[in-house]
Amino acid sequence: MTTRTTDPAVTPSGAPATVVGGALERVGHYRWTICALLFFATTINYVDRQVLGILAPTLQPDLGWSETQYSAVDSWFTAANALGFLFAGRLLDKLGTRIGYAIAITIWSLSAMAHSLARTATQFSIARFALGLGESGNFPASIKTVAEWFPARERAFATGIFNAGTNVGALITPIVVPWIALHFGWRLAFIWTGALSMTWLILWLTIYRPPREHPRVTAPELAYIQSEPADAVSSAR
């Protein structure tokens, strides 16, 4: 009986490959599609959290807020984000990356759009608190996904890529959000940016599966991913 082996190797050009049945096969690259999803999620995360700050000069005179009221509203996001980190990781470990991340982004998408319905400082505070809770799941989910989809030699690079979304989000928000508010009103700015994360959620649920279950992951790529598995990574569902 012939034994099938899938040992990590590299091609002469330095590209990752595996040895399958004695032959050198180039590793696929679908894992980078997953990394791109994480990058866009992190970008949207930072867009959604900054909308209130960008629109503050419009909101304060429109709603009659004082500086103290605005600070109080915004502080609810920070408090909820810190609180959420205590529970987000445990939720992801229990439910798996696919479902856990989907729950987090559903909460933050609906919360972001709920800002458009708020009329008082209290209502905005509730929306900010819910947004902070939902967004707390982004980084634990991204880190766990990288651990499941990348061998140790590529995890730092993949983490750097998705973390770059924080800066991209910070750059594009001051450009896009004022334009939306100017042409369509500040309420639609919250709806449109919240809808971005809902669109991402549809892509996530459509595309994401654990590597060993994904139809787009080839045998060589799976062997490469599993050549340096994450310690005690739970099964993603």
Side-chain angles (χ1 to χ4, degrees):
M1 180 180 296
T2 302
T3 302
R4 179 182 177 87
T5 61
T6 54
D7 301 319
V10 293
T11 62
S13 65
T18 56
V19 179
V20 181
L24 195 65
E25 292 190 18
R26 185 183 296 272
V27 167
H29 50 76
Y30 196 78
R31 63 195 181 281
W32 297 108
T33 299
I34 302 301
C35 188
L37 277 177
L38 301 179
F39 166 80
F40 286 116
T42 303
T43 299
I44 295 168
N45 183 287
Y46 268 71
V47 169
D48 284 344
R49 71 174 59 192
Q50 290 187 100
V51 175
L52 181 66
I54 296 297
L55 294 179
T58 300
L59 291 173
Q60 285 183 266
D62 192 18
L63 300 175
W65 289 355
S66 66
E67 288 292 337
T68 301
Q69 285 176 307
Y70 170 74
S71 298
V73 167
D74 200 41
S75 67
W76 282 106
F77 172 88
T78 304
N81 207 234
L83 179 65
F85 279 128
L86 300 176
F87 304 101
R90 184 175 293 275
L91 177 71
L92 286 156
D93 285 337
K94 183 176 182 179
L95 299 180
T97 313
R98 183 172 185 266
I99 300 303
Y101 209 166
I103 291 173
I105 203 161
T106 297
I107 294 172
W108 105 47
S109 298
L110 295 176
S111 302
M113 290 187 283
H115 286 67
S116 67
L117 302 175
R119 297 291 188 275
T120 66
T122 299
Q123 291 170 346
F124 268 95
S125 296
I126 294 171
R128 294 302 287 175
F129 187 85
L131 181 67
L133 284 179
E135 289 205 350
S136 68
N138 182 73
F139 288 98
S142 295
I143 291 168
K144 186 174 178 66
T145 300
V146 166
E148 293 169 347
W149 272 86
F150 290 86
R153 72 193 74 177
E154 291 181 345
R155 284 176 205 150
F157 182 45
T159 299
I161 289 175
F162 84 70
N163 262 304
T166 61
N167 293 316
V168 174
L171 286 172
I172 67 176
T173 307
I175 299 171
V176 175
V177 170
W179 183 89
I180 296 173
L182 178 64
H183 290 84
F184 303 100
W186 64 263
R187 295 190 187 279
L188 274 177
F190 284 109
I191 292 174
W192 284 26
T193 54
L196 278 177
S197 45
M198 193 62 73
T199 301
W200 184 93
L201 173 63
I202 295 171
L203 289 174
W204 175 256
L205 292 175
T206 301
I207 293 174
Y208 188 86
R209 297 291 184 279
R212 62 186 172 278
E213 299 174 13
H214 207 294
R216 298 290 298 276
V217 176
T218 64
E221 183 172 18
L222 181 61
Y224 181 69
I225 291 169
Q226 294 180 338
S227 64
E228 297 170 318
D231 294 335
V233 171
S234 63
S235 175
R237 294 184 289 275

